[in-house]
Amino acid sequence: MFVNGQWISAFGWFPVRSPATGEIIAELPSAGIEEAMLAADAASAAFQTWRQTTAHHRCALLRAWYNAVIEHTEGIARTITMEMGKPIQEARGEVVYAASFIDWFAEEGRRVGGESMPSQHGDKRLATLQQPVGPVYAITPWNFPAAMITRKLAPALAVGCTAIVKPPVQAPLTALYFAKLWEDVGGPPGTLQVITTADPRTVSQVMFDDPRIRKLTFTGSTEVGKRLYEQSAKTLKRMSLELGGHAPFIIFEDADLDAAVDEVVACKFRNAGQTCVCTNRIYVHRSIASQFAEKLAVAVNRLQVGDPLLESTRIGPLVDEHARDKALSHIADAVAQGARIIAGGVRMEGFYVQPTVLQDVTATMLIMQEETFGPVAPLITFDSEAEVVAAANASPYGLAAYLWTRNLTRAQLVAEALEYGMIGVNDGAPSTAQAPFGGNKDSGLGREGGHWGLQEYLDVKFISTKLERCTLES
Ligand code: NAD
């Protein structure tokens, strides 16, 4: 692991397995209390000097890091594919997406300023400064092992914070790759650290108890996120939580059906459905429901399932047996309650799940309530705008929602009524570095990306200066 500019070991080790083959592809040191404390010490020591560097200096380093990442696209992509099973073409896409956040914040980081306000007193000057919150602890998930790191670290480093990353147990190698490239471009010791561990609870407790670590930024499940929110209360850390989702995808009768089918396939089946913003509920207007279902079944049956390292593969394995069993249990529960399988549904070897489309899905089914995180597309019919908006909002989640229509008024009103942080209007992939990414309700707190993403790592300081007089000496 990478602590204080050194590649260090630990007492215990843990294996990283390829979900495609089950083979051990690496063994990594498993940090405990000692390594976590070393990292916390280094992050807080480095913060004192890093925060004093200029934004121009930090952003130049970020630019060099960006260039290094782009140069290593293929190596990082293969690492992602091998450790978590994403098809190689998508893994390359993730590297470019991940790099785009470094690119964006290498520019935006130069534009952090303050404000001044007029005072009601002639002898007072009022102004604000924005300063880095301090050392940051970042916990990331396995489904986007590159992008979930850069979305957090690029803004943190740009404004002068130092960061400790705890990558997921299933996919820690990509994080080490990013750390190596930061080291290669001259990132100072302690500014970016990666602690690998098979015991996230113990390592994280050290960070939660340490008042010098000023912020937790977490991407992962709602269940774990809520627990960490409580645990961080003791040292009252600043908090960003990017949690689970259950995205509705609404297709009105006036939609371009072929485009909607293509976008459902891209949105639902990307990363084998293991994406926080992928749709988990596809609402289709009753008048086009059977036509849409037929077209979707044809498109889904064409998706190539197989070895994620092959260029032709569109659907790789799920990350582990729990992920596979959850997806299969959602299919079984829906079928038991009357849903029909119109594509897929055949059991496969290993952690693979055949892309599946379910028709006649109803609100009581498990798949309508829990995040499936697998390649299963449930179709539900609706009759009116008001009905579908109410159904879409009847969820504890509020991350992403999508709607398909050619009617501008309908698009605007429905987008305004949906209780979600991100809305795609005829767009199944709205996320981009310059826009805010994040959700409401059980989907989390805060935003990543755009100028909003910088605010998460800044504290505002107000300075009121009282002058000795109000006028110039004559
Ligand atoms: P997870 O919550 O199981 O794990 C996320 C991270 O937390 C991992 O690094 C894990 O090791 C760590 N962790 C788990 N238990 C912990 C504990 N007790 N103490 C400290 N750390 C702990 O989630 P996952 O399975 O890795 O990721 C999938 C989830 O992430 C899905 O719910 C998905 O929707 C969500 N996600 C959200 C976004 C977003 O931006 N909103 C993006 C990607 C993924």
Side-chain angles (χ1 to χ4, degrees):
M1 67 190 94
F2 190 58
V3 172
N4 201 16
Q6 310 276 319
W7 293 91
I8 67 163
S9 185
F11 184 66
W13 292 75
F14 68 101
V16 183
R17 288 177 192 277
S18 153
T21 63
E23 280 167 353
I24 294 178
I25 54 170
E27 301 232 29
L28 290 183
S30 182
I33 292 175
E34 196 181 320
E35 292 78 18
M37 287 173 81
L38 280 177
D41 287 348
S44 56
F47 176 61
Q48 299 312 326
T49 45
W50 183 241
R51 69 178 305 178
Q52 303 297 343
T53 57
T54 64
H56 278 66
H57 172 77
R58 294 191 296 267
C59 290
L61 259 179
L62 282 175
R63 167 69 49 202
W65 196 33
Y66 165 78
N67 289 336
V69 169
I70 292 293
E71 255 174 55
H72 285 258
T73 298
E74 195 58 27
I76 301 171
R78 289 184 76 80
T79 306
I80 293 173
T81 297
M82 287 175 70
E83 66 178 347
M84 55 69 67
K86 178 175 295 190
I88 186 71
Q89 288 202 33
E90 277 187 40
R92 287 186 197 113
E94 184 186 342
V95 178
V96 172
Y97 174 73
S100 74
F101 285 88
I102 308 178
D103 182 35
W104 169 263
F105 287 111
E107 293 172 358
E108 202 62 11
R110 297 169 200 254
R111 301 188 190 116
V112 175
E115 288 179 40
S116 62
M117 297 76 79
S119 168
Q120 63 273 47
H121 307 290
D123 59 350
K124 281 200 181 188
R125 299 295 178 267
L126 313 180
T128 61
L129 282 181
Q130 296 197 92
Q131 294 184 309
V133 293
V136 172
Y137 180 47
I139 303 182
T140 56
W142 52 265
N143 67 336
F144 283 87
M148 296 307 101
I149 289 178
T150 57
R151 255 179 19 190
K152 299 178 184 320
L153 263 53
L157 292 167
V159 301
C161 295
T162 53
I164 302 166
V165 184
K166 193 220 71 64
V169 183
Q170 299 95 327
L173 298 170
T174 303
L176 296 173
Y177 210 137
F178 275 85
K180 176 76 179 88
L181 296 178
W182 180 249
E183 180 188 32
D184 289 351
V185 300
T191 49
L192 186 170
Q193 305 179 84
V194 176
I195 43 175
T196 55
T197 184
D199 182 7
R201 208 175 276 238
T202 300
V203 162
S204 300
Q205 196 58 51
V206 172
M207 304 299 166
F208 299 145
D209 290 343
D210 191 329
R212 297 170 304 173
I213 305 296
R214 289 310 317 137
K215 172 161 179 123
L216 168 69
T217 172
F218 171 81
T219 298
S221 61
T222 299
E223 186 196 350
V224 173
K226 284 184 177 176
R227 210 178 310 145
L228 305 188
Y229 194 23
E230 277 181 33
Q231 284 176 270
S232 302
K234 199 166 111 190
T235 47
L236 215 62
K237 299 200 194 305
R238 282 279 296 272
M239 187 74 51
S240 297
L241 299 173
E242 295 284 349
L243 309 179
H246 204 275
F249 198 113
I250 305 168
I251 302 152
F252 288 98
E253 66 277 18
D254 59 355
D256 176 337
L257 273 203
D258 291 321
V261 167
D262 288 349
E263 296 274 336
V264 165
V265 170
C267 178
K268 172 72 247 184
F269 295 96
R270 178 183 311 132
N271 204 12
Q274 302 170 111
T275 304
C276 55
V277 291
C278 76
T279 173
N280 221 107
R281 288 174 282 157
I282 304 161
Y283 295 97
V284 191
H285 191 268
R286 193 175 302 280
S287 63
I288 53 161
S290 44
Q291 199 190 349
F292 182 83
E294 260 170 51
K295 284 174 183 277
L296 184 64
V298 170
V300 169
N301 278 330
R302 282 204 204 108
L303 294 171
Q304 184 99 22
V305 184
D307 178 353
L309 283 167
L310 294 178
E311 297 293 333
S312 56
T313 294
R314 288 290 310 278
I315 307 280
L318 298 195
V319 72
D320 56 26
E321 58 189 326
H322 304 295
R324 178 202 58 199
D325 293 347
K326 186 171 192 193
L328 293 179
S329 75
H330 280 191
I331 298 174
D333 169 78
V335 170
Q337 293 197 53
R340 281 184 300 129
I341 295 175
I342 58 166
V346 178
R347 181 108 201 200
M348 299 186 76
E349 297 276 298
F351 301 153
Y352 288 91
V353 172
Q354 202 185 25
T356 299
V357 180
L358 297 170
Q359 214 177 358
D360 302 334
V361 170
T362 58
T364 57
M365 296 174 187
L366 217 48
I367 196 165
M368 293 292 285
Q369 289 147 31
E370 293 178 1
E371 205 179 11
T372 306
F373 242 53
V376 188
L379 300 178
I380 311 105
T381 49
F382 71 92
D383 293 294
S384 74
E385 284 176 5
E387 175 204 347
V388 76
V389 167
N393 286 343
S395 165
Y397 295 107
L399 191 57
Y402 308 89
L403 66 102
W404 237 257
T405 177
R406 286 173 166 133
N407 178 328
L408 178 63
T409 300
R410 167 178 276 167
Q412 189 64 34
L413 293 177
V414 172
E416 287 170 9
L418 287 168
E419 295 164 0
Y420 288 81
M422 296 173 279
I423 312 284
V425 177
N426 299 328
D427 183 1
S431 175
T432 182
Q434 62 274 34
F437 189 107
N440 311 328
K441 304 197 281 185
D442 270 6
S443 291
L445 301 171
R447 292 294 182 271
E448 292 183 333
H451 61 82
W452 301 269
L454 281 182
Q455 294 307 320
E456 301 284 330
Y457 298 94
L458 290 166
D459 276 336
V460 178
K461 182 178 281 176
F462 166 54
I463 303 177
S464 174
T465 306
K466 189 167 183 185
L467 310 179
E468 287 178 344
R469 52 195 155 77
C470 298
T471 53
L472 294 174
E473 285 178 343
S474 48

